Amino acid sequence: MNDVADLIPHSGSMVLLDRIIDYDDQGLTAELVVRADGLLGDDESVPAWAGIEYMAQTIAAYAGMMATQAGEPIRLGFLLGTRRYHSNVAAFKVGSALTIKVEKIMQDDNLGVFNCRIQGKGVEVTANLNVYQPPLNNA
């Protein structure tokens, strides 16, 4: 399976996902271990709102996988917003393993809506994310 850093337009410590577990034409599943690098949290926890970035990077990995399969370059995408973000925790404990699953609900030209879920021991987070990816030729 592809290295996450090869699929998303992020580099270094901004690559938050550890690995891709599975993917198909409709979505992708990734894993990560919550880090204590100070980027989004502290030595003990990362706020649950950071789950939006985890979800967005999983969508980016999905887009990267689809682009790679189509022989296209990895492109920037933009998070337009989220709806119905629900978390049963206020923060993710550093060291906890999380699984992030995104499924395409709708894609029309360059706009997309994804149903997203983060699961881990005692963690259940759900949201819909709206994303935009500019055209390949910038037309």
Side-chain angles (χ1 to χ4, degrees), residues 8-108:
I8 64 176
H10 297 69
S11 62
S13 63
M14 270 311 297
V15 177
L16 302 176
L17 305 177
D18 292 330
R19 69 185 190 107
I20 307 298
I21 299 172
D22 193 24
Y23 71 94
D24 60 26
D25 289 344
Q26 296 302 308
L28 185 137
T29 304
E31 284 183 332
L32 65 86
V33 173
V34 179
R35 300 190 313 227
D37 60 7
L39 187 63
L40 298 174
D42 57 31
D43 291 342
E44 296 179 15
S45 65
V46 170
W49 54 258
I52 294 173
E53 180 62 20
Y54 296 158
M55 293 171 174
Q57 285 197 20
T58 306
I59 293 170
Y62 165 78
M65 189 68 79
M66 296 299 105
T68 299
Q69 289 184 338
E72 297 176 354
I74 303 302
R75 298 185 283 156
L76 285 176
F78 300 94
L79 173 63
L80 297 179
T82 184
R83 293 189 316 245
R84 296 187 276 282
Y85 187 84
H86 297 286
S87 177
N88 70 332
V89 295
F92 305 121
K93 185 178 177 183
V94 165
S96 43
L98 301 177
T99 301
I100 305 95
K101 181 174 181 119
V102 299
E103 294 177 306
K104 180 172 56 173
I105 296 173
M106 185 277 303
Q107 191 154 8
D108 184 18

